[in-house]
Amino acid sequence: IVVDSCNSPIAAIGMNPSNGKICKNGCVEFSYNGSGGKPTSWVWTFEGAVPDSSNLEDPGLVCWPDTIGKFVVTLEVTNAYGTSSVIDTITVSDPAIITAYSDTTITFGTNVTLTAQATDTSGNIISGGTYTWSPTCVLCQTTTVIQPTDTSIYIVAYEAENGCIVYDTVTVNVDMQFNIGVPSAFTPNGDGTNDLLLVRGEIGIESLTFSIYNRYGQ
């Protein structure tokens, strides 16, 4: 004797990302997340997507190529005791445009302000979202102040409220030459003050050739 629960299925859609918001050309991972009796068939329909349908319990990745808007996803499940269906919506959005300002050169030991701004495809500034600077992150806002010790490329990532992430880079060149100099005089009298003539500005110097000439070029 085989005892069955005799329950009809209750359909539910599992999605990753769970909010159903993706960027243009993005994908969603679908799975069956229902309850009740075990279905014997699954009928998925994905409006505007590739693939546009599936009969698998867990269809996996479904993508919306080169399109934006709201698209309906339906699931109908059936077993011997009944049928259940559910509808959900996928929102596909254009990614923002992130611009980092701007490549610059600074003198070693000075600060520089890194600024980024996210806009939509029409050039309108987007409010909200999250900015993250790498390799530095000071409050992770549109603007961050740093004092780099060498030339570096900084990456800013912007995640919009719709989940789309875009990136841009800015290069900060650090000029060491203004921190390198030779005194115009020295006093080699052994009193411990200015006894040596040497190149000042050891930070940032990898190698140097230091020559001293007299007025005759010797």
Side-chain angles (χ1 to χ4, degrees):
I1 298 174
V2 177
V3 180
D4 201 332
S5 62
C6 300
N7 290 328
S8 61
I10 301 173
I13 296 174
M15 297 188 299
N16 183 23
S18 59
N19 61 8
K21 295 181 179 181
I22 59 173
C23 294
K24 184 178 180 179
N25 296 314
C27 301
V28 177
E29 185 173 9
F30 287 94
S31 60
Y32 178 63
N33 199 28
S35 57
K38 176 75 172 180
T40 55
S41 70
W42 297 262
V43 180
W44 296 83
T45 303
F46 308 105
E47 181 186 13
V50 178
D52 60 4
S53 62
S54 176
N55 297 116
L56 299 176
E57 178 178 358
D58 299 321
L61 285 179
V62 177
C63 302
W64 276 261
D66 201 28
T67 187
I68 60 172
K70 292 183 179 293
F71 301 92
V72 174
V73 174
T74 62
L75 170 62
E76 181 178 279
V77 293
T78 303
N79 67 10
Y81 308 106
T83 298
S84 175
S85 62
V86 64
I87 297 175
D88 215 327
T89 301
I90 301 298
T91 302
V92 184
S93 304
D94 267 325
I97 299 171
I98 182 70
T99 304
Y101 304 96
S102 69
D103 292 353
T104 188
T105 299
I106 64 169
T107 303
F108 179 85
T110 60
N111 295 338
V112 62
T113 300
L114 303 181
T115 302
Q117 185 64 69
T119 58
D120 60 24
T121 54
S122 299
N124 301 311
I125 295 175
I126 300 175
S127 60
T130 302
Y131 295 82
T132 304
W133 290 92
S134 177
T136 183
C137 180
V138 181
L139 300 181
C140 291
Q141 297 177 341
T142 57
T143 301
T144 184
V145 178
I146 61 172
Q147 189 180 94
T149 57
D150 53 16
T151 296
S152 301
I153 296 176
Y154 297 89
I155 302 171
V156 59
Y158 172 73
E159 182 175 0
E161 293 179 347
N162 61 14
C164 295
I165 302 176
V166 289
Y167 303 87
D168 197 14
T169 62
V170 60
T171 300
V172 178
N173 297 288
V174 179
D175 191 347
M176 301 288 188
Q177 65 177 332
F178 297 110
N179 290 276
I180 299 172
V182 180
S184 59
F186 74 117
T187 57
N189 56 5
D191 65 355
T193 303
N194 298 322
D195 287 330
L196 298 177
L197 179 64
L198 72 162
V199 177
R200 302 289 183 181
E202 293 84 355
I203 297 176
I205 299 176
E206 294 183 358
S207 64
L208 63 87
T209 299
F210 182 32
S211 301
I212 301 176
Y213 297 86
N214 64 15
R215 68 182 65 187
Y216 305 110
Q218 299 169 325

